[in-house]
Amino acid sequence: MSGRATVSHDVILVGGGLQNGLVALALLARRPGLRLAVVDPAPTLGGNHTWSFHATDLVAPLADEVEPLVVARWSEHEVRFPALARVVREPYRAITSERFHEVLSARLAGAPHASWWRARAVEVAPGGVRLDDGTGLEAPLVVDARGPAAAPVTTAGWQKFVGLELELDGDRGGPAPHPRPLLMDATVEQLGGFRFLYVLPLAPGRVLVEDTVYAGGPELDRQAVAARARAWAEAAGYAVAGVRRVEHGCLPIPLADESVAPPVDLGPRGVVVRGGVHGGWFHPTTGYSFPVAARLAAMLAETGPAPAEVVAGVTALWAAHRRQARFARLLNRLLFRHVAPAERWNVLARFYRLPDATIRRFYALELTTADRARIVCGRPPRGFGLRPRFSQEVS
Ligand SMILES: Cc1cc2nc3c(=O)[nH]c(=O)nc-3n(C[C@H](O)[C@H](O)[C@H](O)COP(=O)(O)OP(=O)(O)OC[C@H]3O[C@@H](n4cnc5c(N)ncnc54)[C@H](O)[C@@H]3O)c2cc1C
């Protein structure tokens, strides 16, 4: 760091979103003596999301730390396709940005050695960070998790969605239409891609309804998709009293592996780890990042800020992540390049006939060799086996 860098820390977290929130919580739990700086110019930490995840995605020391962030818990969830309705008996959880900000900002304010710098990082290098007001921060470990960068060069398509958090009219309501999360209702019109509705019954009188499509381009007509989501909710029996919050996303579905080297830079004065979606730590097929963000956070809490240990830990974790991500990208290729858009739901319906544990490991990016064989070679009930397409792909 050149210029007037003066303030010393042990760890600097650039970006206070999901990844660095989990890193902060893990470090505060495991290494409370560390001088920790979070840098994020946003008025609140965590942006505007509802993050959901499988309860089993949490690893020590995060399980206890994440518990206060959780706004809803379910013991199972379900999916619906034209010829399949399935309850998956895996516990599921949801975190809202609102709760994330509340808990994380209070934890930072209450920790004697932690601080939140409400500023933009303009220079990030091993050893330190320069803020937009000219202040310099120094630390042996910097975790750069500034969120989505430019889209990867080669995408198979995009996962695009608009979610409405709806307030429900209790007086008009009968029993809740969906007592457990409905992760995919793909019985809806497919509209030129793989389309489904996603429903999280967050609390009595409050539900998140999201209309999602996996399609070619990143264009998203937010108003039209929001209207579609609301119409679906009303048709499903929700007595909508109002819209409490709207969220949207357009997540790239990558085809090629553009991040071969581990996302870590070592210099004479420290190390920078690129974390979160910024560093490529996400599921190439689902676009989700919670399970991998949790693993990276737990690993950094284990190593602490010592650069050599951080490099070794990130390199090992990245190698395992890449092995899993490679298979997920292959699935992307098969789904987008070899299956017509209107028929993609069929592949997912077939996937949801696999055992609960395989489904969970798919979402967690922890597939075993046997799981992969099941996904690719299993006997398809509706004539949409991936095996012939897989042979074409690798020949
Ligand atoms: C609406 C939505 C819903 C999603 N739902 C899920 C889900 O249910 N489960 C799941 O696993 N994944 C989900 N994802 C995908 C992914 O997990 C999220 O995008 C997740 O927030 C990524 O975490 P992150 O920390 O990498 O980035 P972000 O959470 O995007 O955080 C990046 C942070 O960096 C800050 N920042 C940017 N530039 C600078 C700078 N120069 N200096 C300092 N700070 C900076 C931003 O203000 C922001 O706070 C969702 C994505 C979206 C968009």
Side-chain angles (χ1 to χ4, degrees), residues 27-42:
L27 286 173
L28 289 170
R30 183 60 65 94
R31 296 172 181 269
L34 286 184
R35 293 166 302 161
L36 177 70
V38 175
V39 176
D40 198 311

Side-chain angles (χ1 to χ4, degrees), residues 15 17-19 40 49-52 120-121 248 276-277 288-290:
L18 178 67
Q19 173 68 80
D40 198 311
H49 304 81
T50 310
W51 293 291
S52 49
R120 176 169 296 280
H248 66 93
V277 297
Y288 275 22
S289 70
F290 191 95

Side-chain angles (χ1 to χ4, degrees), residues 26 107 140 256 261 269 293 345 384 394:
R107 287 286 277 124
R269 297 172 53 232
W345 67 268
F384 273 92
V394 295

Side-chain angles (χ1 to χ4, degrees), residues 352-374:
Y352 268 105
R353 291 182 194 272
L354 295 171
D356 288 357
T358 301
I359 293 169
R360 173 177 49 75
R361 288 193 291 264
F362 167 77
Y363 280 100
L365 278 179
E366 287 180 328
L367 287 171
T368 62
T369 307
D371 290 333
R372 291 173 200 199
R374 267 192 206 111

Side-chain angles (χ1 to χ4, degrees), residues 13-85:
L13 305 180
V14 181
L18 178 67
Q19 173 68 80
N20 274 344
L22 295 179
V23 175
L25 291 173
L27 286 173
L28 289 170
R30 183 60 65 94
R31 296 172 181 269
L34 286 184
R35 293 166 302 161
L36 177 70
V38 175
V39 176
D40 198 311
T44 56
L45 297 166
N48 176 25
H49 304 81
T50 310
W51 293 291
S52 49
F53 60 99
H54 291 86
T56 44
D57 293 339
L58 282 175
V59 281
L62 274 169
D64 291 344
E65 291 300 309
V66 167
E67 204 45 36
L69 306 177
V70 173
V71 296
R73 301 168 177 77
W74 307 273
S75 56
E76 55 191 22
H77 55 275
E78 64 179 302
V79 292
R80 293 181 194 171
F81 295 90
L84 174 75

